[in-house]
Amino acid sequence: MRLHNTLSGQVEEFKPIEVGHVRMYTCGPTVHDYAHIGNFRTFLFEDLLRRVLLQQGYRVTQVMNLTDVEDRIIKKAAEHGQTIDEFTEKYIEAFFEDLDTLRIERAEHYPRATEHIFEMVSLIDLLNEKGHTYVTDGSTYFRIASFPRYGELAHLDHAGLKAGARVDVDDYGKDDPRDFVLWKARKPGEQSWETPLGIGRPGWHIECSAMSMKYLGESFDIHTGGVDNIFPHHENEIAQSEAATGKPFVRYWMHAQHLQDAMGEKMSKRLKNFTTLRDLVAEGYQPRAIRYALLTGAHYRSPLAFSPELLKAADSAIKRLDEFAVRLGPIPTEAEPTPDVRKRWDDALKDDLNLPAAVGHLFEFIKAFNTRLESGKATPEERAGAMAMLRHANRILDVVEFPEVVDAEVDRLIAERQAARDRRDFARADEIRQQLLGMGIQLDDTKDGTRWKRVR
Ligand code: AMP
Ligand code: ZN
């Protein structure tokens, strides 16, 4: 399996540190509001990665943090006269509901920043001991000059670093504008924690280093996020973690490109050009069409422009998949997916998660197989293989609704078969028996008439 690594700028062969087990960390939502579908594009990319790793036979331990202490949260909580926990509860609950709506598989751990203050303080302590920090006005900063590899992830030269640095207007006391805050001194009215570092709260970056290393170890396999996380967030995570442990932090850094509005602007809260999942569902769009559109609309490393047309195309693609499942009928036999299609599907996904290509192969197959079905040439074995292929693909896509055989349909086919036998059309009668078998229904002709049962 090959994955694109932002660190090297290359697609590389993927090998986890521990054989057969992938440990990955995904930057989660800032729970100050509902997540928008741009955020969900990134979370769906992570769902894709997780499902492909599982389908490749790996065990996966995935951690997604919930950023529940941050400037906007503190400000909004104070405006509502609430504690951080009271304010974020509603958005955390909404986030998990949205994950379910989009059928995003659950990670193994969802640690919250507010529940890991101790771990963050310990990590900052270690950085203090090793001489990577300084304190100004009660806030602790990371000294970037103490970490020579700074900038390697974002591939920034010194000039680029200066230009790209986000200067926090609150941070008057920094020695170098690139330096970032690890621990912020309390400001009046802010919720704070009393720690050996002083009364205050953690900066944003330190939470991901502390929580990822707690649950995954000092070195782990994959760290993901949207491309806007590369700099400075992930660059800072590397600096903090590696300065503290002296070990390589993460092997593979993977980033999803942005979801854009129709004008090609990044969808964001700040630009107010965002749509939430809830808005779309209220407008009547099927959640599975939203899932399909965000997953397959473009390769994860290409920008994707969001539009009603994209959802319409997703809708009709899903309809074709559903119809294919109906045409094949429920086939409970344990067939292997049609080998050549399966290989093309797997190869595309193993090639840096090329889902658009994989889906292309799937639809080519469906088109050809539909022709075979129409001409009556498809054997029961081929149908079973095709159904297994559809299920294999749906293990990743998770959008198809497989039909259940209903008793009335079975009774109708039995009556039709009886009519064929009465007119001595045994070929047709046999065809119906085969069709039912394909649907997992076995017939038994007794002296009291035809009985049927479901078989595996
Ligand atoms: P936030 O809640 O702002 O911390 O963002 C959560 C995740 O969504 C991060 O991984 C961001 O990189 C990602 N993200 C934010 N905006 C977009 C967008 N327009 N398209 C794709 N991902 C995004
Ligand atoms: Zn993070």
Side-chain angles (χ1 to χ4, degrees), residues 97 103 153 168 255 267 333 343 347 370 384 410-411 426:
E97 281 170 19
R103 300 188 188 178
L153 179 71
D168 185 337
H255 295 98
M267 191 175 278
T333 47
K343 181 164 186 333
D347 285 352
N370 273 331
V410 177
D411 292 340
F426 297 113

Side-chain angles (χ1 to χ4, degrees), residues 63 329 336-338 343 356 397 405 437:
V63 177
E336 284 298 314
T338 316
K343 181 164 186 333
L397 294 172
V405 220
L437 198 59

